[in-house]
Amino acid sequence: DEFKEMNEFYLKYKNQYYKIGSKSDIVKIFPMYKSEIKKYYNSYAQLEESDKNVFIENLIKEIDSLIPNEFN
């Protein structure tokens, strides 16, 4: 039998935790960056398939770079 790694991702933003399971979850948190999130998903679709952990980590770093410092 083959085991598949199942990870859950949570994001803390403005003292609240959000479960991240899909692109729409991220867009709900950051609707002002919808187009950037969509571009990221389109550009890194292969990474999402091959290494979801790195994909999500890099996506969060990308969003973090867009957010003005007073909100980080």
mmCIF file of all heavy atoms in Angstrom, residues 19-68:
data_model
loop_
_atom_site.group_PDB
_atom_site.id
_atom_site.type_symbol
_atom_site.label_atom_id
_atom_site.label_comp_id
_atom_site.label_asym_id
_atom_site.label_seq_id
_atom_site.Cartn_x
_atom_site.Cartn_y
_atom_site.Cartn_z
ATOM 1 N N LYS A 19 -7.738 28.477 7.839
ATOM 2 C CA LYS A 19 -7.339 27.229 7.207
ATOM 3 C C LYS A 19 -7.261 27.468 5.705
ATOM 4 O O LYS A 19 -8.186 28.008 5.105
ATOM 5 C CB LYS A 19 -8.338 26.117 7.520
ATOM 6 C CG LYS A 19 -7.905 24.771 6.974
ATOM 7 C CD LYS A 19 -8.867 23.676 7.391
ATOM 8 C CE LYS A 19 -8.419 22.358 6.804
ATOM 9 N NZ LYS A 19 -9.329 21.270 7.166
ATOM 10 N N ILE A 20 -6.136 27.078 5.119
ATOM 11 C CA ILE A 20 -5.910 27.267 3.698
ATOM 12 C C ILE A 20 -6.017 25.914 3.011
ATOM 13 O O ILE A 20 -5.179 25.040 3.200
ATOM 14 C CB ILE A 20 -4.497 27.854 3.423
ATOM 15 C CG1 ILE A 20 -4.281 29.140 4.210
ATOM 16 C CG2 ILE A 20 -4.274 28.040 1.936
ATOM 17 C CD1 ILE A 20 -5.184 30.263 3.856
ATOM 18 N N GLY A 21 -7.056 25.748 2.212
ATOM 19 C CA GLY A 21 -7.222 24.493 1.492
ATOM 20 C C GLY A 21 -7.295 24.675 -0.009
ATOM 21 O O GLY A 21 -7.116 23.727 -0.762
ATOM 22 N N SER A 22 -7.539 25.904 -0.424
ATOM 23 C CA SER A 22 -7.706 26.137 -1.864
ATOM 24 C C SER A 22 -7.399 27.594 -2.197
ATOM 25 O O SER A 22 -7.238 28.428 -1.306
ATOM 26 C CB SER A 22 -9.144 25.830 -2.277
ATOM 27 O OG SER A 22 -10.019 26.771 -1.692
ATOM 28 N N LYS A 23 -7.351 27.870 -3.477
ATOM 29 C CA LYS A 23 -7.123 29.235 -3.941
ATOM 30 C C LYS A 23 -8.222 30.157 -3.428
ATOM 31 O O LYS A 23 -7.954 31.280 -3.007
ATOM 32 C CB LYS A 23 -7.067 29.259 -5.468
ATOM 33 C CG LYS A 23 -6.882 30.658 -6.034
ATOM 34 C CD LYS A 23 -6.586 30.708 -7.521
ATOM 35 C CE LYS A 23 -7.389 29.817 -8.385
ATOM 36 N NZ LYS A 23 -7.171 30.043 -9.819
ATOM 37 N N SER A 24 -9.457 29.689 -3.433
ATOM 38 C CA SER A 24 -10.565 30.541 -2.983
ATOM 39 C C SER A 24 -10.440 30.903 -1.505
ATOM 40 O O SER A 24 -10.830 31.998 -1.104
ATOM 41 C CB SER A 24 -11.915 29.893 -3.277
ATOM 42 O OG SER A 24 -12.067 28.696 -2.555
ATOM 43 N N ASP A 25 -9.871 30.017 -0.689
ATOM 44 C CA ASP A 25 -9.640 30.339 0.730
ATOM 45 C C ASP A 25 -8.686 31.521 0.861
ATOM 46 O O ASP A 25 -8.891 32.419 1.680
ATOM 47 C CB ASP A 25 -9.038 29.143 1.479
ATOM 48 C CG ASP A 25 -9.993 27.977 1.615
ATOM 49 O OD1 ASP A 25 -11.221 28.195 1.550
ATOM 50 O OD2 ASP A 25 -9.511 26.834 1.774
ATOM 51 N N ILE A 26 -7.656 31.531 0.044
ATOM 52 C CA ILE A 26 -6.671 32.610 0.098
ATOM 53 C C ILE A 26 -7.264 33.906 -0.431
ATOM 54 O O ILE A 26 -7.056 34.976 0.134
ATOM 55 C CB ILE A 26 -5.396 32.209 -0.670
ATOM 56 C CG1 ILE A 26 -4.775 30.989 0.012
ATOM 57 C CG2 ILE A 26 -4.399 33.359 -0.725
ATOM 58 C CD1 ILE A 26 -3.667 30.336 -0.753
ATOM 59 N N VAL A 27 -8.044 33.804 -1.500
ATOM 60 C CA VAL A 27 -8.675 34.996 -2.085
ATOM 61 C C VAL A 27 -9.671 35.616 -1.107
ATOM 62 O O VAL A 27 -9.797 36.838 -1.037
ATOM 63 C CB VAL A 27 -9.336 34.664 -3.441
ATOM 64 C CG1 VAL A 27 -10.180 35.820 -3.947
ATOM 65 C CG2 VAL A 27 -8.275 34.305 -4.476
ATOM 66 N N LYS A 28 -10.345 34.788 -0.312
ATOM 67 C CA LYS A 28 -11.282 35.318 0.688
ATOM 68 C C LYS A 28 -10.554 36.156 1.738
ATOM 69 O O LYS A 28 -11.091 37.147 2.231
ATOM 70 C CB LYS A 28 -12.026 34.175 1.384
ATOM 71 C CG LYS A 28 -13.108 33.560 0.543
ATOM 72 C CD LYS A 28 -13.770 32.407 1.293
ATOM 73 C CE LYS A 28 -14.623 31.577 0.357
ATOM 74 N NZ LYS A 28 -15.078 30.339 1.000
ATOM 75 N N ILE A 29 -9.331 35.762 2.074
ATOM 76 C CA ILE A 29 -8.545 36.494 3.068
ATOM 77 C C ILE A 29 -7.947 37.754 2.450
ATOM 78 O O ILE A 29 -7.894 38.804 3.087
ATOM 79 C CB ILE A 29 -7.416 35.607 3.632
ATOM 80 C CG1 ILE A 29 -7.994 34.336 4.257
ATOM 81 C CG2 ILE A 29 -6.587 36.370 4.662
ATOM 82 C CD1 ILE A 29 -6.957 33.259 4.520
ATOM 83 N N PHE A 30 -7.512 37.642 1.205
ATOM 84 C CA PHE A 30 -6.829 38.741 0.511
ATOM 85 C C PHE A 30 -7.511 39.073 -0.814
ATOM 86 O O PHE A 30 -6.903 38.933 -1.883
ATOM 87 C CB PHE A 30 -5.362 38.372 0.249
ATOM 88 C CG PHE A 30 -4.592 38.001 1.479
ATOM 89 C CD1 PHE A 30 -4.285 36.683 1.755
ATOM 90 C CD2 PHE A 30 -4.165 38.980 2.363
ATOM 91 C CE1 PHE A 30 -3.560 36.335 2.891
ATOM 92 C CE2 PHE A 30 -3.444 38.651 3.498
ATOM 93 C CZ PHE A 30 -3.140 37.318 3.768
ATOM 94 N N PRO A 31 -8.757 39.518 -0.782
ATOM 95 C CA PRO A 31 -9.459 39.796 -2.046
ATOM 96 C C PRO A 31 -8.793 40.885 -2.879
ATOM 97 O O PRO A 31 -8.908 40.891 -4.110
ATOM 98 C CB PRO A 31 -10.861 40.217 -1.599
ATOM 99 C CG PRO A 31 -10.708 40.641 -0.175
ATOM 100 C CD PRO A 31 -9.575 39.831 0.391
ATOM 101 N N MET A 32 -8.064 41.769 -2.215
ATOM 102 C CA MET A 32 -7.388 42.852 -2.934
ATOM 103 C C MET A 32 -6.224 42.355 -3.778
ATOM 104 O O MET A 32 -5.743 43.072 -4.648
ATOM 105 C CB MET A 32 -6.919 43.936 -1.961
ATOM 106 C CG MET A 32 -5.851 43.477 -0.966
ATOM 107 S SD MET A 32 -6.401 42.266 0.233
ATOM 108 C CE MET A 32 -6.532 43.224 1.699
ATOM 109 N N TYR A 33 -5.783 41.112 -3.554
ATOM 110 C CA TYR A 33 -4.678 40.527 -4.316
ATOM 111 C C TYR A 33 -5.142 39.358 -5.179
ATOM 112 O O TYR A 33 -4.346 38.486 -5.535
ATOM 113 C CB TYR A 33 -3.556 40.072 -3.370
ATOM 114 C CG TYR A 33 -3.033 41.190 -2.505
ATOM 115 C CD1 TYR A 33 -3.061 41.107 -1.126
ATOM 116 C CD2 TYR A 33 -2.525 42.362 -3.080
ATOM 117 C CE1 TYR A 33 -2.593 42.140 -0.333
ATOM 118 C CE2 TYR A 33 -2.069 43.407 -2.288
ATOM 119 C CZ TYR A 33 -2.098 43.288 -0.924
ATOM 120 O OH TYR A 33 -1.642 44.323 -0.141
ATOM 121 N N LYS A 34 -6.410 39.348 -5.533
ATOM 122 C CA LYS A 34 -6.976 38.229 -6.305
ATOM 123 C C LYS A 34 -6.209 37.975 -7.599
ATOM 124 O O LYS A 34 -5.887 36.827 -7.917
ATOM 125 C CB LYS A 34 -8.455 38.507 -6.605
ATOM 126 C CG LYS A 34 -9.132 37.373 -7.336
ATOM 127 C CD LYS A 34 -10.607 37.666 -7.560
ATOM 128 C CE LYS A 34 -11.282 36.517 -8.278
ATOM 129 N NZ LYS A 34 -12.721 36.740 -8.425
ATOM 130 N N SER A 35 -5.910 39.026 -8.343
ATOM 131 C CA SER A 35 -5.229 38.824 -9.626
ATOM 132 C C SER A 35 -3.816 38.283 -9.415
ATOM 133 O O SER A 35 -3.358 37.419 -10.171
ATOM 134 C CB SER A 35 -5.210 40.101 -10.460
ATOM 135 O OG SER A 35 -4.454 41.099 -9.833
ATOM 136 N N GLU A 36 -3.103 38.760 -8.392
ATOM 137 C CA GLU A 36 -1.759 38.267 -8.109
ATOM 138 C C GLU A 36 -1.790 36.799 -7.670
ATOM 139 O O GLU A 36 -0.926 36.006 -8.060
ATOM 140 C CB GLU A 36 -1.076 39.113 -7.031
ATOM 141 C CG GLU A 36 -0.714 40.508 -7.468
ATOM 142 C CD GLU A 36 -1.833 41.534 -7.297
ATOM 143 O OE1 GLU A 36 -3.001 41.149 -7.079
ATOM 144 O OE2 GLU A 36 -1.529 42.734 -7.393
ATOM 145 N N ILE A 37 -2.783 36.449 -6.873
ATOM 146 C CA ILE A 37 -2.925 35.060 -6.419
ATOM 147 C C ILE A 37 -3.216 34.158 -7.617
ATOM 148 O O ILE A 37 -2.612 33.083 -7.768
ATOM 149 C CB ILE A 37 -4.039 34.951 -5.349
ATOM 150 C CG1 ILE A 37 -3.592 35.682 -4.074
ATOM 151 C CG2 ILE A 37 -4.370 33.491 -5.053
ATOM 152 C CD1 ILE A 37 -4.708 35.938 -3.076
ATOM 153 N N LYS A 38 -4.092 34.597 -8.499
ATOM 154 C CA LYS A 38 -4.425 33.819 -9.698
ATOM 155 C C LYS A 38 -3.187 33.628 -10.573
ATOM 156 O O LYS A 38 -2.927 32.530 -11.064
ATOM 157 C CB LYS A 38 -5.531 34.522 -10.477
ATOM 158 C CG LYS A 38 -6.016 33.747 -11.667
ATOM 159 C CD LYS A 38 -7.163 34.463 -12.357
ATOM 160 C CE LYS A 38 -7.598 33.689 -13.597
ATOM 161 N NZ LYS A 38 -8.658 34.362 -14.323
ATOM 162 N N LYS A 39 -2.405 34.700 -10.755
ATOM 163 C CA LYS A 39 -1.172 34.607 -11.559
ATOM 164 C C LYS A 39 -0.199 33.612 -10.936
ATOM 165 O O LYS A 39 0.431 32.822 -11.640
ATOM 166 C CB LYS A 39 -0.489 35.971 -11.654
ATOM 167 C CG LYS A 39 -1.094 36.906 -12.654
ATOM 168 C CD LYS A 39 -0.271 38.196 -12.707
ATOM 169 C CE LYS A 39 -1.120 39.352 -13.152
ATOM 170 N NZ LYS A 39 -0.462 40.648 -12.989
ATOM 171 N N TYR A 40 -0.074 33.659 -9.607
ATOM 172 C CA TYR A 40 0.829 32.735 -8.917
ATOM 173 C C TYR A 40 0.386 31.295 -9.161
ATOM 174 O O TYR A 40 1.206 30.435 -9.506
ATOM 175 C CB TYR A 40 0.882 33.038 -7.422
ATOM 176 C CG TYR A 40 1.822 32.118 -6.681
ATOM 177 C CD1 TYR A 40 3.169 32.431 -6.558
ATOM 178 C CD2 TYR A 40 1.371 30.931 -6.127
ATOM 179 C CE1 TYR A 40 4.041 31.571 -5.897
ATOM 180 C CE2 TYR A 40 2.227 30.070 -5.475
ATOM 181 C CZ TYR A 40 3.559 30.393 -5.366
ATOM 182 O OH TYR A 40 4.416 29.526 -4.720
ATOM 183 N N TYR A 41 -0.897 31.018 -8.977
ATOM 184 C CA TYR A 41 -1.409 29.658 -9.194
ATOM 185 C C TYR A 41 -1.158 29.203 -10.627
ATOM 186 O O TYR A 41 -0.775 28.050 -10.858
ATOM 187 C CB TYR A 41 -2.898 29.573 -8.862
ATOM 188 C CG TYR A 41 -3.163 29.144 -7.439
ATOM 189 C CD1 TYR A 41 -3.120 30.057 -6.400
ATOM 190 C CD2 TYR A 41 -3.453 27.825 -7.128
ATOM 191 C CE1 TYR A 41 -3.359 29.670 -5.083
ATOM 192 C CE2 TYR A 41 -3.688 27.422 -5.819
ATOM 193 C CZ TYR A 41 -3.640 28.348 -4.811
ATOM 194 O OH TYR A 41 -3.871 27.953 -3.520
ATOM 195 N N ASN A 42 -1.356 30.082 -11.601
ATOM 196 C CA ASN A 42 -1.128 29.719 -12.999
ATOM 197 C C ASN A 42 0.352 29.489 -13.292
ATOM 198 O O ASN A 42 0.710 28.570 -14.027
ATOM 199 C CB ASN A 42 -1.687 30.790 -13.939
ATOM 200 C CG ASN A 42 -3.201 30.833 -13.923
ATOM 201 O OD1 ASN A 42 -3.866 29.860 -13.569
ATOM 202 N ND2 ASN A 42 -3.765 31.969 -14.287
ATOM 203 N N SER A 43 1.208 30.305 -12.697
ATOM 204 C CA SER A 43 2.643 30.211 -12.958
ATOM 205 C C SER A 43 3.292 28.995 -12.299
ATOM 206 O O SER A 43 4.281 28.478 -12.802
ATOM 207 C CB SER A 43 3.356 31.469 -12.463
ATOM 208 O OG SER A 43 2.919 32.588 -13.180
ATOM 209 N N TYR A 44 2.754 28.575 -11.165
ATOM 210 C CA TYR A 44 3.398 27.522 -10.386
ATOM 211 C C TYR A 44 2.518 26.288 -10.203
ATOM 212 O O TYR A 44 2.614 25.590 -9.190
ATOM 213 C CB TYR A 44 3.844 28.069 -9.027
ATOM 214 C CG TYR A 44 4.879 29.161 -9.159
ATOM 215 C CD1 TYR A 44 4.515 30.495 -9.054
ATOM 216 C CD2 TYR A 44 6.202 28.860 -9.432
ATOM 217 C CE1 TYR A 44 5.461 31.507 -9.197
ATOM 218 C CE2 TYR A 44 7.154 29.859 -9.580
ATOM 219 C CZ TYR A 44 6.771 31.182 -9.463
ATOM 220 O OH TYR A 44 7.709 32.173 -9.613
ATOM 221 N N ALA A 45 1.712 25.987 -11.201
ATOM 222 C CA ALA A 45 0.822 24.826 -11.117
ATOM 223 C C ALA A 45 1.600 23.523 -10.931
ATOM 224 O O ALA A 45 1.183 22.655 -10.156
ATOM 225 C CB ALA A 45 -0.054 24.742 -12.364
ATOM 226 N N GLN A 46 2.737 23.394 -11.613
ATOM 227 C CA GLN A 46 3.542 22.174 -11.472
ATOM 228 C C GLN A 46 4.095 22.037 -10.056
ATOM 229 O O GLN A 46 4.136 20.932 -9.514
ATOM 230 C CB GLN A 46 4.688 22.151 -12.478
ATOM 231 C CG GLN A 46 4.233 21.816 -13.879
ATOM 232 C CD GLN A 46 5.409 21.671 -14.826
ATOM 233 O OE1 GLN A 46 6.334 22.480 -14.788
ATOM 234 N NE2 GLN A 46 5.371 20.655 -15.663
ATOM 235 N N LEU A 47 4.519 23.141 -9.468
ATOM 236 C CA LEU A 47 5.027 23.098 -8.097
ATOM 237 C C LEU A 47 3.916 22.697 -7.133
ATOM 238 O O LEU A 47 4.161 21.923 -6.200
ATOM 239 C CB LEU A 47 5.618 24.454 -7.691
ATOM 240 C CG LEU A 47 6.172 24.552 -6.266
ATOM 241 C CD1 LEU A 47 7.296 23.544 -6.046
ATOM 242 C CD2 LEU A 47 6.656 25.961 -5.981
ATOM 243 N N GLU A 48 2.713 23.184 -7.365
ATOM 244 C CA GLU A 48 1.588 22.811 -6.504
ATOM 245 C C GLU A 48 1.391 21.292 -6.521
ATOM 246 O O GLU A 48 1.129 20.682 -5.485
ATOM 247 C CB GLU A 48 0.315 23.509 -6.955
ATOM 248 C CG GLU A 48 -0.872 23.193 -6.065
ATOM 249 C CD GLU A 48 -2.163 23.850 -6.508
ATOM 250 O OE1 GLU A 48 -2.257 24.292 -7.672
ATOM 251 O OE2 GLU A 48 -3.087 23.909 -5.679
ATOM 252 N N GLU A 49 1.534 20.697 -7.691
ATOM 253 C CA GLU A 49 1.377 19.239 -7.812
ATOM 254 C C GLU A 49 2.543 18.482 -7.171
ATOM 255 O O GLU A 49 2.333 17.474 -6.518
ATOM 256 C CB GLU A 49 1.266 18.844 -9.289
ATOM 257 C CG GLU A 49 -0.029 19.245 -9.931
ATOM 258 C CD GLU A 49 -1.229 18.518 -9.346
ATOM 259 O OE1 GLU A 49 -1.132 17.289 -9.096
ATOM 260 O OE2 GLU A 49 -2.256 19.176 -9.119
ATOM 261 N N SER A 50 3.757 18.988 -7.364
ATOM 262 C CA SER A 50 4.934 18.240 -6.921
ATOM 263 C C SER A 50 5.291 18.478 -5.454
ATOM 264 O O SER A 50 5.787 17.565 -4.788
ATOM 265 C CB SER A 50 6.139 18.564 -7.803
ATOM 266 O OG SER A 50 6.511 19.921 -7.658
ATOM 267 N N ASP A 51 5.072 19.697 -4.958
ATOM 268 C CA ASP A 51 5.442 20.000 -3.573
ATOM 269 C C ASP A 51 4.526 21.093 -3.021
ATOM 270 O O ASP A 51 4.850 22.277 -3.045
ATOM 271 C CB ASP A 51 6.905 20.441 -3.499
ATOM 272 C CG ASP A 51 7.447 20.438 -2.078
ATOM 273 O OD1 ASP A 51 6.643 20.543 -1.125
ATOM 274 O OD2 ASP A 51 8.680 20.332 -1.917
ATOM 275 N N LYS A 52 3.382 20.662 -2.523
ATOM 276 C CA LYS A 52 2.372 21.606 -2.022
ATOM 277 C C LYS A 52 2.912 22.462 -0.880
ATOM 278 O O LYS A 52 2.571 23.639 -0.772
ATOM 279 C CB LYS A 52 1.127 20.826 -1.570
ATOM 280 C CG LYS A 52 -0.020 21.665 -1.111
ATOM 281 C CD LYS A 52 -0.900 22.094 -2.245
ATOM 282 C CE LYS A 52 -2.169 22.738 -1.724
ATOM 283 N NZ LYS A 52 -3.112 23.028 -2.753
ATOM 284 N N ASN A 53 3.772 21.894 -0.024
ATOM 285 C CA ASN A 53 4.333 22.661 1.097
ATOM 286 C C ASN A 53 5.106 23.874 0.597
ATOM 287 O O ASN A 53 4.904 24.991 1.078
ATOM 288 C CB ASN A 53 5.263 21.787 1.946
ATOM 289 C CG ASN A 53 4.532 20.721 2.723
ATOM 290 O OD1 ASN A 53 3.317 20.767 2.883
ATOM 291 N ND2 ASN A 53 5.271 19.738 3.192
ATOM 292 N N VAL A 54 6.006 23.658 -0.344
ATOM 293 C CA VAL A 54 6.814 24.751 -0.888
ATOM 294 C C VAL A 54 5.920 25.731 -1.646
ATOM 295 O O VAL A 54 6.091 26.942 -1.558
ATOM 296 C CB VAL A 54 7.942 24.206 -1.789
ATOM 297 C CG1 VAL A 54 8.668 25.325 -2.517
ATOM 298 C CG2 VAL A 54 8.928 23.391 -0.959
ATOM 299 N N PHE A 55 4.949 25.197 -2.369
ATOM 300 C CA PHE A 55 4.017 26.038 -3.124
ATOM 301 C C PHE A 55 3.299 27.021 -2.199
ATOM 302 O O PHE A 55 3.275 28.229 -2.452
ATOM 303 C CB PHE A 55 3.000 25.156 -3.846
ATOM 304 C CG PHE A 55 1.941 25.922 -4.581
ATOM 305 C CD1 PHE A 55 2.165 26.409 -5.853
ATOM 306 C CD2 PHE A 55 0.691 26.156 -4.002
ATOM 307 C CE1 PHE A 55 1.185 27.115 -6.543
ATOM 308 C CE2 PHE A 55 -0.289 26.860 -4.672
ATOM 309 C CZ PHE A 55 -0.039 27.344 -5.948
ATOM 310 N N ILE A 56 2.727 26.526 -1.112
ATOM 311 C CA ILE A 56 1.992 27.378 -0.173
ATOM 312 C C ILE A 56 2.944 28.349 0.531
ATOM 313 O O ILE A 56 2.641 29.539 0.674
ATOM 314 C CB ILE A 56 1.217 26.531 0.867
ATOM 315 C CG1 ILE A 56 0.108 25.728 0.181
ATOM 316 C CG2 ILE A 56 0.650 27.405 1.985
ATOM 317 C CD1 ILE A 56 -1.025 26.552 -0.383
ATOM 318 N N GLU A 57 4.102 27.848 0.943
ATOM 319 C CA GLU A 57 5.077 28.712 1.618
ATOM 320 C C GLU A 57 5.483 29.881 0.713
ATOM 321 O O GLU A 57 5.515 31.036 1.149
ATOM 322 C CB GLU A 57 6.305 27.886 1.996
ATOM 323 C CG GLU A 57 7.347 28.656 2.770
ATOM 324 C CD GLU A 57 8.542 27.797 3.164
ATOM 325 O OE1 GLU A 57 8.357 26.590 3.414
ATOM 326 O OE2 GLU A 57 9.654 28.340 3.209
ATOM 327 N N ASN A 58 5.766 29.594 -0.542
ATOM 328 C CA ASN A 58 6.160 30.648 -1.476
ATOM 329 C C ASN A 58 5.002 31.591 -1.790
ATOM 330 O O ASN A 58 5.212 32.798 -1.950
ATOM 331 C CB ASN A 58 6.716 30.048 -2.762
ATOM 332 C CG ASN A 58 8.071 29.404 -2.561
ATOM 333 O OD1 ASN A 58 8.734 29.605 -1.553
ATOM 334 N ND2 ASN A 58 8.481 28.596 -3.517
ATOM 335 N N LEU A 59 3.806 31.063 -1.859
ATOM 336 C CA LEU A 59 2.633 31.907 -2.089
ATOM 337 C C LEU A 59 2.450 32.900 -0.942
ATOM 338 O O LEU A 59 2.217 34.090 -1.169
ATOM 339 C CB LEU A 59 1.377 31.053 -2.257
ATOM 340 C CG LEU A 59 0.046 31.808 -2.323
ATOM 341 C CD1 LEU A 59 0.021 32.792 -3.487
ATOM 342 C CD2 LEU A 59 -1.110 30.833 -2.417
ATOM 343 N N ILE A 60 2.579 32.425 0.272
ATOM 344 C CA ILE A 60 2.431 33.298 1.437
ATOM 345 C C ILE A 60 3.533 34.360 1.454
ATOM 346 O O ILE A 60 3.280 35.527 1.764
ATOM 347 C CB ILE A 60 2.412 32.480 2.748
ATOM 348 C CG1 ILE A 60 1.212 31.531 2.766
ATOM 349 C CG2 ILE A 60 2.408 33.396 3.964
ATOM 350 C CD1 ILE A 60 -0.137 32.182 2.527
ATOM 351 N N LYS A 61 4.744 33.976 1.091
ATOM 352 C CA LYS A 61 5.837 34.953 0.999
ATOM 353 C C LYS A 61 5.521 36.008 -0.057
ATOM 354 O O LYS A 61 5.783 37.202 0.140
ATOM 355 C CB LYS A 61 7.156 34.261 0.666
ATOM 356 C CG LYS A 61 7.748 33.488 1.807
ATOM 357 C CD LYS A 61 9.021 32.788 1.379
ATOM 358 C CE LYS A 61 9.581 31.923 2.480
ATOM 359 N NZ LYS A 61 10.771 31.176 2.034
ATOM 360 N N GLU A 62 4.967 35.577 -1.170
ATOM 361 C CA GLU A 62 4.589 36.501 -2.245
ATOM 362 C C GLU A 62 3.530 37.495 -1.759
ATOM 363 O O GLU A 62 3.645 38.700 -1.970
ATOM 364 C CB GLU A 62 4.061 35.693 -3.437
ATOM 365 C CG GLU A 62 3.607 36.515 -4.605
ATOM 366 C CD GLU A 62 4.754 37.109 -5.411
ATOM 367 O OE1 GLU A 62 5.874 36.561 -5.354
ATOM 368 O OE2 GLU A 62 4.527 38.124 -6.081
ATOM 369 N N ILE A 63 2.506 36.985 -1.098
ATOM 370 C CA ILE A 63 1.454 37.860 -0.571
ATOM 371 C C ILE A 63 2.025 38.803 0.483
ATOM 372 O O ILE A 63 1.709 39.995 0.502
ATOM 373 C CB ILE A 63 0.285 37.031 -0.005
ATOM 374 C CG1 ILE A 63 -0.425 36.297 -1.144
ATOM 375 C CG2 ILE A 63 -0.706 37.919 0.741
ATOM 376 C CD1 ILE A 63 -1.411 35.242 -0.681
ATOM 377 N N ASP A 64 2.882 38.259 1.341
ATOM 378 C CA ASP A 64 3.501 39.077 2.384
ATOM 379 C C ASP A 64 4.263 40.258 1.790
ATOM 380 O O ASP A 64 4.253 41.357 2.348
ATOM 381 C CB ASP A 64 4.423 38.211 3.243
ATOM 382 C CG ASP A 64 4.971 38.959 4.436
ATOM 383 O OD1 ASP A 64 4.173 39.488 5.232
ATOM 384 O OD2 ASP A 64 6.209 39.018 4.567
ATOM 385 N N SER A 65 4.908 40.047 0.657
ATOM 386 C CA SER A 65 5.665 41.129 0.019
ATOM 387 C C SER A 65 4.751 42.207 -0.550
ATOM 388 O O SER A 65 5.183 43.333 -0.771
ATOM 389 C CB SER A 65 6.563 40.559 -1.083
ATOM 390 O OG SER A 65 5.803 40.189 -2.219
ATOM 391 N N LEU A 66 3.469 41.878 -0.767
ATOM 392 C CA LEU A 66 2.511 42.834 -1.307
ATOM 393 C C LEU A 66 1.826 43.665 -0.229
ATOM 394 O O LEU A 66 1.353 44.769 -0.500
ATOM 395 C CB LEU A 66 1.437 42.097 -2.111
ATOM 396 C CG LEU A 66 1.908 41.287 -3.316
ATOM 397 C CD1 LEU A 66 0.755 40.441 -3.850
ATOM 398 C CD2 LEU A 66 2.461 42.186 -4.395
ATOM 399 N N ILE A 67 1.764 43.139 0.980
ATOM 400 C CA ILE A 67 1.030 43.779 2.071
ATOM 401 C C ILE A 67 1.863 44.936 2.642
ATOM 402 O O ILE A 67 3.029 44.745 2.959
ATOM 403 C CB ILE A 67 0.722 42.765 3.193
ATOM 404 C CG1 ILE A 67 -0.150 41.640 2.644
ATOM 405 C CG2 ILE A 67 0.033 43.453 4.368
ATOM 406 C CD1 ILE A 67 -0.333 40.499 3.623
ATOM 407 N N PRO A 68 1.261 46.101 2.793
ATOM 408 C CA PRO A 68 1.987 47.213 3.431
ATOM 409 C C PRO A 68 2.460 46.811 4.824
ATOM 410 O O PRO A 68 1.784 46.053 5.535
ATOM 411 C CB PRO A 68 0.944 48.328 3.502
ATOM 412 C CG PRO A 68 -0.068 47.974 2.468
ATOM 413 C CD PRO A 68 -0.082 46.467 2.383
#
